[in-house]
Amino acid sequence: GESVGLHLPTLSVQEGDNSIINCAYSNSASDYFIWYKQESGKGPQFIIDIRSNMDKRQGQRVTVLLNKTVKHLSLQIAATQPGDSAVYFCAEPGSGYALNFGKGTSLLVTP
Amino acid sequence: NAGVTQTPKFQVLKTGQSMTLQCAQDMNHNSMYWYRQDPGMGLRLIYYSASEGTTDKGEVPNGYNVSRLNKREFSLRLESAAPSQTSVYFCATTLQGNNSPLHFGNGTRLTVT
């Protein structure tokens, strides 16, 4: 069946560097994608979303890029800070009212 | 403005016991969801309520029941808990459906011994 997946399970970056977290999706009909951040002991927190009629969307220190040709989604975090350490999930609509989540990438920011 | 509130935060049950997980939202959202999160399995949808008065099964509904009590509240019941239901349970809401972001509570950590 269709699934959302992540290329790298863990990512370690130095404070101040830029981070890139990747996500591959397999449902070419998906028209909406969301990135979530989950800190230890908390629920997933919405970061940014993008619709399929766009290829780039920017937020505060974050940018999401969508490449529909290769069905690839990425989250870029500029000037990564210790508070960015968390697990990041991409998600897309599934059947009915469901959202399908990837397994997550753990981002570790080192001083 | 509390967003999505889940109670309790932690719970330990013995096999066969029952319990109800509570979720309340003050965001005036129409759709509410229950997910479980297990290591290596990601977030899986148990049940959802597209709007007040409706509920539907998600990916892993067996062993659970839900009640959409009103627009604000959506509860998840385990009638006879099993060790396989040890998990972290998240309630979430959206304004409408799955074309808008989910807003999550901070979860209920359930252990079934």
Side-chain angles (χ1 to χ4, degrees), chain B:
Chain B
N1 188 347
V4 181
T5 303
Q6 292 184 237
T7 55
K9 289 185 169 55
F10 301 94
Q11 184 72 49
V12 178
L13 292 178
K14 294 185 177 176
T15 299
Q17 288 185 317
S18 62
M19 79 163 295
T20 300
L21 283 66
Q22 308 285 354
C23 175
Q25 53 107 354
D26 61 4
M27 306 179 77
N28 201 32
H29 282 176
N30 292 305
S31 303
M32 299 185 73
Y33 306 76
W34 278 104
Y35 280 85
R36 61 179 288 175
Q37 186 175 36
D38 303 292
M41 301 292 290
L43 284 151
R44 293 183 292 168
L45 182 64
I46 305 171
Y47 270 94
Y48 65 93
S49 171
S51 59
E52 187 178 355
T54 70
T55 61
D56 286 283
K57 295 178 180 179
E59 180 185 356
V60 288
N62 292 344
Y64 305 95
N65 285 299
V66 291
S67 295
R68 183 74 182 266
L69 304 169
N70 47 55
K71 187 171 184 179
R72 290 187 63 247
E73 297 173 289
F74 188 38
S75 62
L76 178 71
R77 182 158 179 85
L78 287 71
E79 289 291 351
S80 179
S84 61
Q85 294 178 304
T86 294
S87 188
V88 182
Y89 291 87
F90 289 102
C91 177
T93 71
T94 61
L95 182 59
Q96 188 70 52
N98 60 1
N99 269 301
S100 57
L102 281 170
H103 296 266
F104 285 86
N106 280 326
T108 294
R109 283 143 187 84
L110 175 67
T111 301
V112 183
T113 61

Side-chain angles (χ1 to χ4, degrees), chain A residues 72-86:
Chain A
H72 184 267
L73 192 66
S74 68
L75 177 71
Q76 300 178 0
I77 305 173
T80 313
Q81 302 169 359
D84 295 326
S85 292

